[in-house]
Amino acid sequence: MIIGLLLGSLINSQVKAQILNADRFGKAVDSVNTFKSRFDIGMTLNKQRTLLIALNTKLDLSYWFKHNTIILVGKFNLFRTGSNNLINGGYSHLRFRFGRHKWIHPEIFTQYQLDGVQGMQERILGGANLRLRLLEKGSSLLDLGVGA
């Protein structure tokens, strides 16, 4: 039934969203730590003929409860010269995983995206997945995600 609903919604609509692969973020934690974070911010001002402003931020936060995980990632860039934006875009992504030690576990997410230079207006996405654990060997995992 779920697969039928998913296929029907994909056939009847045009999906034009880029959803992040959240497994690239939220690094695994060891048995001592349950919280991992990384936040970078950079700014450059350069004036020769015109003023060039470069601002970039990166965020990667993970919190592991006993059985659940929260991942918050984000990246935004702004490069501006004079009154023109050369690059103005980024994303933030929030994901909750429930029962991550079970062979089948749900997750929900929401995402905000912006790419002003390429004309993509602000966009907010949301969805849910079922993750199926196909293989677990040592610290390596192979999961299959099925969702909308």
Side-chain angles (χ1 to χ4, degrees):
M1 180 176 164
I2 293 174
I3 293 174
L5 289 173
L6 177 63
L7 290 175
S9 67
L10 290 176
I11 291 170
N12 292 327
S13 66
Q14 294 181 358
V15 178
K16 294 183 179 180
Q18 174 189 3
I19 300 172
L20 297 176
N21 177 2
D23 292 317
R24 293 184 299 165
F25 308 99
K27 304 297 183 225
V29 295
D30 56 34
S31 61
V32 177
N33 297 314
T34 58
F35 180 72
K36 290 277 186 168
S37 67
R38 179 178 176 163
F39 178 69
D40 299 329
I41 187 167
M43 182 171 181
T44 304
L45 296 172
N46 189 351
K47 175 134 172 85
Q48 291 182 5
R49 291 185 185 195
T50 62
L51 180 65
L52 174 66
I53 299 172
L55 175 65
N56 55 58
T57 63
K58 291 182 186 177
L59 173 68
D60 186 348
L61 296 174
S62 298
Y63 188 79
W64 292 50
F65 298 94
K66 187 172 184 179
H67 298 288
N68 305 320
T69 305
I70 297 174
I71 300 170
L72 174 62
V73 295
K75 179 180 180 181
F76 287 93
N77 294 314
L78 172 65
F79 291 95
R80 183 177 180 97
T81 178
S83 62
N84 297 323
N85 289 341
L86 302 176
I87 295 177
N88 180 19
Y91 61 85
S92 60
H93 184 94
L94 176 65
R95 183 171 295 251
F96 293 91
R97 289 189 176 148
F98 304 98
R100 62 181 158 79
H101 292 301
K102 297 179 181 177
W103 76 274
I104 183 168
H105 52 280
E107 64 182 1
I108 58 174
F109 67 89
T110 185
Q111 181 174 312
Y112 170 82
Q113 282 181 272
L114 169 70
D115 192 341
V117 173
Q118 293 186 12
M120 183 175 79
Q121 299 299 317
E122 297 175 317
R123 171 170 61 190
I124 297 176
L125 310 169
N129 293 324
L130 277 179
R131 294 176 64 86
L132 304 150
R133 177 79 29 90
L134 300 178
L135 179 66
E136 183 174 358
K137 189 170 186 176
S139 63
S140 299
L141 298 173
L142 177 62
D143 287 352
L144 171 67
V146 179

